[in-house]
Amino acid sequence: MLTLYGSTTSPYVRRLRIWLANTQHDFVNLKIYEQPDREKLILLNPSMKVPFLIDQQEGSSQTVLDSRAIFHYLSEKLGRPKLSWDQENQLTLIDAVNDSLVQMFLLAQSGIKADENLLFFKLQKERVNAVLIELDELASLGLFKSWNYPAMCLFSLIDWIEFRSLHNLKGLTELLAFHENNAQRIEVTATDPRK
């Protein structure tokens, strides 16, 4: 039995939930900053991050940490096609924005204001701006027209940005159109963090 552990608000978790929509699995929603879920997270995942997957098989168990590793593990297990190197690069770009925004979000949640003069914030904002422009260009070329894993990851990122009001997407017309075109998919609405 496959059990995915995560948080309903994490874009890394949501991408897997969307991708696994037609695959039998359990989802355990952890409130990772509250006890006892924090204790469970520490016990089950030494990296103390979500998502992680536990694959219980007869007489054995496999734990897989990190969304990308989970995707590759399940792609192989379920016989799904591997990503091309171009798609892997698309994921790297999407993850770069996710990583920067997660770090800035956590700092903001900790009461630390983004200071344009500090190197950390300057680098993160520079990365986010540059990569979103690149993703907008890739979308304009039709690279996210198929509803595949990279497209699901991109949707989860854009929707999370909108949900948390993390970045002004004005001018990124292709990304906004991509988001709008996919917002009513059943697996998207079923995993909406606003619910």
Side-chain angles (χ1 to χ4, degrees), residues 3-195:
T3 305
L4 179 67
Y5 291 81
S7 162
T8 56
T9 57
S10 165
Y12 292 102
V13 175
R14 189 178 187 197
R15 61 173 64 172
L16 289 166
R17 292 179 69 208
I18 291 171
W19 186 66
L20 288 169
N22 297 314
T23 302
Q24 186 176 358
H25 70 286
D26 289 330
F27 173 65
V28 177
N29 182 30
L30 296 174
K31 295 180 178 34
I32 62 173
Y33 302 115
E34 298 177 16
Q35 306 298 44
D37 285 356
R38 184 88 186 143
E39 292 170 5
K40 185 184 287 187
L41 175 67
I42 293 166
L43 178 68
L44 295 174
N45 184 351
S47 75
M48 293 184 269
K49 293 170 63 177
V50 291
F52 63 96
L53 177 87
I54 298 179
D55 183 4
Q56 289 281 101
Q57 301 168 12
E58 290 182 30
S60 69
S61 176
Q62 178 66 58
T63 300
V64 185
L65 313 176
D66 184 72
S67 62
R68 205 144 176 185
I70 293 167
F71 170 76
H72 289 302
Y73 173 82
L74 290 176
S75 290
E76 185 175 307
K77 179 181 177 72
L78 302 172
R80 295 188 183 175
K82 291 183 177 182
L83 297 180
S84 69
W85 284 113
D86 286 339
Q87 290 173 317
E88 289 285 356
N89 285 336
Q90 292 163 14
L91 279 187
T92 298
L93 292 172
I94 292 164
D95 288 350
V97 176
N98 261 323
D99 291 346
S100 289
L101 290 175
V102 164
Q103 294 304 315
M104 290 193 292
F105 176 74
L106 289 174
L107 287 169
Q109 294 297 103
S110 301
I112 299 171
K113 290 187 177 184
D115 184 339
E116 298 284 339
N117 297 318
L118 295 177
L119 181 62
F120 175 81
F121 292 107
K122 189 175 186 179
L123 293 177
Q124 301 313 310
K125 289 180 178 189
E126 180 181 36
R127 173 187 289 157
V128 168
N129 287 330
V131 174
L132 285 175
I133 290 169
E134 176 68 16
L135 289 170
D136 193 67
E137 175 64 24
L138 294 178
S140 77
L141 298 173
L143 297 182
F144 299 106
K145 280 194 176 180
S146 295
W147 189 240
N148 55 21
Y149 190 66
M152 294 171 192
C153 294
L154 180 61
F155 181 88
S156 297
L157 168 65
I158 300 303
D159 198 59
W160 184 65
I161 290 171
E162 294 281 0
F163 168 56
R164 295 291 193 191
S165 302
L166 296 172
H167 190 81
N168 184 349
L169 298 174
K170 186 178 177 183
L172 299 170
T173 55
E174 296 293 333
L175 292 181
L176 291 169
F178 165 81
H179 179 266
E180 184 178 339
N181 291 339
N182 291 290
Q184 295 307 311
R185 290 178 178 272
I186 191 163
E187 63 273 26
V188 164
T189 60
T191 59
D192 191 335
R194 299 160 187 86
K195 293 180 180 180

